[in-house]
């Protein structure tokens, strides 16, 4: 047996799926499914010269453009491979053996992985069956647990829920008073535009993580960033790999930041698709949870039916996420939003699923 570190020997990681998802209607990973316009693709292709390919990545231009976009200085930014890379850096810098890490649960899968990787003592505050968690409960936990790190995704995944800015500010203040680090994961920023960014100049303990994978639609490139006080960013820089990420991600990031109005236009198309999906689900009497992110949790009634629905959708070349552990979500399939046309494809398949004889018979049994 190899002399693996103790904490890692118990860490189980699943391989990323080997089956290609390309060619499916991809609604399972909260990606942006609207293709980039050809003009943007051409700009990227033009940038990829032989010189570009053989040179190490150049990061400066993106730091400057991002700072301008985020309304801060480049000193307030930490670039990384996805926002996942920033989250890992936060654990690496601040979490030692036995340190308490407080999270709202369920949340982003990598919080749990990094807690194990860095030997933290994970403390979870669970959402209730209506996906609500009280701010008082969070404050109380901060006071009693005295965590080293608090991680809150806002909006959260997989619940799609948010804490209002005033509540979040209260929590951040409370945690900072005991010198805890607060990581606010804003992966779904722009879908929910309320950020706690303005607090970074005042609270060095706060780090906000953002990504190009969701609203900017660049999941393949692995590009994300942290925003924080210079003191926080200087700490994160200590664990930076030689280069923050690859040159293609950096270049595409730059190109996208030159086209923010296009991203915002795309966002409107997606929000219209979401509204349409929600209206149609209501008309079909299929319950769903309100979400502030780019996905919707559809309640299929039972865990078994959720699994069968996802299988049925796959047979129609549509991918949906299911198999959540958390009780109210076990009954759900989660689909990310897309333009109206693609939501119509999903809805048609869902109607076909519900019209199957076996489902109709199950419904009759329930109503008897
Ligand atoms: C809440 C949350 N945080 C972070 C991430 C990771 O995003 P990235 O692609 O930037 O690593 C995700 C991805 O789904 C997410 O849902």
């Amino acid at each position: 047996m190899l002399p693996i570190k103790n904490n890692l020997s118990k860490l189980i990681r699943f391989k990323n799926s080997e089956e290609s998802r390309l060619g499916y209607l991809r609604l399972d990973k909260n990606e942006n499914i609207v293709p980039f316009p050809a003009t943007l693709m051409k700009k990227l292709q033009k940038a990829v010269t032989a010189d570009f390919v053989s040179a190490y990545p150049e990061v400066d231009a993106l730091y400057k453009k991002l700072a301008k976009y985020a309304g801060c200085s480049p000193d307030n930014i930490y670039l990384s491979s996805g926002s996942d890379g920033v989250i890992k850096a936060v654990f690496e810098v601040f979490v030692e053996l036995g340190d308490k890490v407080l999270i709202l649960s369920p949340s982003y899968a990598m919080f749990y992985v990094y807690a194990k990787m860095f030997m933290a003592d994970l403390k979870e505050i669970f959402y209730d069956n209506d996906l609500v968690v009280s701010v008082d409960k969070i404050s109380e936990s901060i006071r009693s647990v005295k965590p080293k790190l608090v991680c809150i995704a806002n909006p959260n995944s997989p619940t799609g829920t948010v804490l209002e800015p005033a509540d979040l500010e209260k929590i951040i203040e409370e945690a900072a008073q005991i010198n805890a680090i607060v990581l606010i994961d804003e992966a779904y920023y722009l879908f929910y535009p309320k950020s706690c960014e303005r607090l970074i100049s005042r609270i060095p303990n706060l780090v906000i993580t953002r990504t190009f994978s969701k609203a900017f639609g660049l999941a393949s490139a692995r590009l994300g960033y942290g925003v924080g006080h210079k003191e926080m960013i200087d700490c994160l820089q200590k664990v930076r790999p030689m280069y923050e990420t690859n040159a293609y991600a950096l270049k595409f990031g730059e190109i996208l930041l030159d086209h923010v109005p296009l991203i915002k236009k795309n966002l409107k198309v997606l929000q219209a698709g979401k509204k349409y999906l929600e209206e149609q689900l209501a008309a079909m009497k299929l319950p769903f949870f309100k979400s502030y992110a780019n996905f919707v949790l559809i309640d299929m009634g039972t865990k078994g039916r959720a699994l069968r629905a996802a299988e049925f959708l796959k047979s129609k070349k549509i991918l949906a996420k299911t198999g959540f552990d958390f009780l109210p979500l076990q009954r759900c399939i989660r689909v990310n939003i897309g333009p109206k046309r693609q939501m119509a494809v999903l809805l048609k398949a869902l109607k076909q699923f519900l019209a199957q004889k076996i489902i109709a018979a199950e419904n009759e049994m329930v109503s008897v």
Side-chain angles (χ1 to χ4, degrees):
M1 212 165 102
L2 295 177
I4 187 169
K5 287 181 183 173
N6 248 339
N7 56 307
L8 296 183
S9 65
K10 290 193 192 78
L11 178 59
I12 297 166
R13 301 294 306 277
F14 299 103
K15 273 191 179 173
N16 284 324
S17 164
E18 282 161 16
E19 200 182 331
S20 175
R21 296 161 61 246
L22 303 181
Y24 284 83
L25 178 53
R26 290 174 285 109
L27 305 182
D28 57 334
K29 290 201 175 189
N30 305 342
E31 295 158 346
N32 179 11
I33 54 167
V34 184
F36 285 115
T39 47
L40 279 197
M41 297 308 296
K42 280 207 183 104
K43 280 191 179 164
L44 179 69
Q45 282 154 8
K46 212 170 146 206
V48 182
T49 59
D51 210 21
F52 179 90
V53 172
S54 59
Y56 279 116
E58 295 187 353
V59 296
D60 232 44
L62 187 58
Y63 269 110
K64 286 187 180 130
K65 279 192 183 171
L66 252 182
K68 200 164 164 212
Y69 167 72
C72 59
S73 145
D75 288 345
N76 299 117
I77 291 179
Y78 176 80
L79 270 175
S80 191
S81 164
S83 55
D84 185 21
V86 190
I87 296 168
K88 187 177 184 192
V90 172
F91 273 81
E92 235 177 320
V93 170
F94 295 107
V95 178
E96 293 184 272
L97 170 71
D99 279 345
K100 295 189 172 77
V101 172
L102 190 67
I103 61 170
L104 307 188
S105 221
S107 193
Y108 177 48
M110 294 308 286
F111 291 158
Y112 303 85
V113 172
Y114 294 136
K116 280 213 176 103
M117 217 180 253
F118 294 96
M119 298 177 271
D121 179 4
L122 188 69
K123 301 286 179 193
E124 298 169 80
I125 306 174
F126 288 95
Y127 286 87
D128 68 15
N129 282 351
D130 298 318
L131 304 187
V132 176
V133 63
S134 96
V135 179
D136 289 344
K137 200 167 160 188
I138 303 171
S139 291
E140 256 172 54
S141 298
I142 290 173
R143 283 194 295 270
S144 60
V145 168
K146 298 196 174 35
K148 178 78 166 284
L149 171 66
V150 181
C151 299
I152 297 178
N154 206 52
N156 186 35
S157 171
T159 58
T161 49
V162 288
L163 292 170
E164 285 299 322
D167 292 335
L168 206 52
E169 187 165 340
K170 190 177 159 223
I171 292 164
I172 294 167
E173 298 270 9
E174 197 124 31
Q177 265 171 27
I178 57 159
N179 207 19
I181 301 299
V182 188
L183 186 161
I184 303 296
D185 174 344
E186 292 186 358
Y188 298 96
Y189 176 64
L190 289 187
F191 292 106
Y192 181 73
K194 297 180 192 172
S195 170
C196 50
E197 203 171 45
R198 64 188 178 77
L199 299 179
I200 61 158
S201 57
R202 192 162 58 79
I203 307 182
N205 296 47
L206 170 65
V207 56
I208 297 166
T209 59
R210 298 245 185 97
T211 183
F212 276 74
S213 304
K214 307 297 179 188
F216 278 78
L218 201 58
S220 69
R222 311 307 301 126
L223 183 62
Y225 60 103
V227 186
H229 192 282
K230 184 175 180 308
E231 204 183 323
M232 167 61 73
I233 300 302
D234 287 349
C235 288
L236 298 181
Q237 285 288 354
K238 290 182 193 289
V239 295
R240 197 200 66 221
M242 180 68 94
Y243 294 99
E244 284 83 339
T245 185
N246 66 79
Y248 306 89
L250 295 166
K251 183 51 77 182
F252 215 162
E254 277 181 55
I255 294 171
L256 289 183
L257 286 174
D258 289 338
H259 293 85
V260 174
L262 197 141
I263 304 296
K264 296 213 164 141
K265 197 170 143 208
N266 183 39
L267 221 63
K268 283 200 178 131
V269 172
L270 292 174
Q271 301 289 22
K274 186 182 191 188
K275 186 164 175 277
Y276 172 70
L277 174 65
E278 289 176 345
E279 282 166 3
Q280 296 299 310
L281 288 173
M284 287 162 68
K285 300 206 170 15
L286 256 186
F288 57 90
F289 286 97
K290 177 160 181 57
S291 158
Y292 293 86
N294 69 343
F295 56 81
V296 176
L297 283 158
I298 306 173
D299 190 340
M300 301 305 295
T302 65
K303 182 181 176 181
R305 195 182 280 188
L307 292 171
R308 277 184 282 143
E311 256 168 47
F312 182 85
L313 292 174
K314 193 168 178 195
S315 74
K316 301 282 175 195
K317 303 289 281 179
I318 302 168
L319 299 177
K321 167 93 177 130
T322 192
F324 297 100
D325 285 337
F326 188 60
L327 204 61
L329 303 192
Q330 283 183 357
R331 310 185 306 256
C332 294
I333 59 167
R334 188 194 67 196
V335 287
N336 50 255
I337 53 174
K340 230 169 143 176
R341 187 168 36 86
Q342 273 135 335
M343 294 297 94
V345 173
L346 166 70
L347 286 158
K348 184 176 169 207
L350 275 176
K351 278 181 190 153
Q352 287 170 345
F353 171 74
L354 292 172
Q356 289 175 116
K357 274 195 187 132
I358 180 160
I359 304 291
E362 273 175 17
N363 282 344
E364 288 223 337
M365 275 166 65
V366 171
S367 61
V368 167

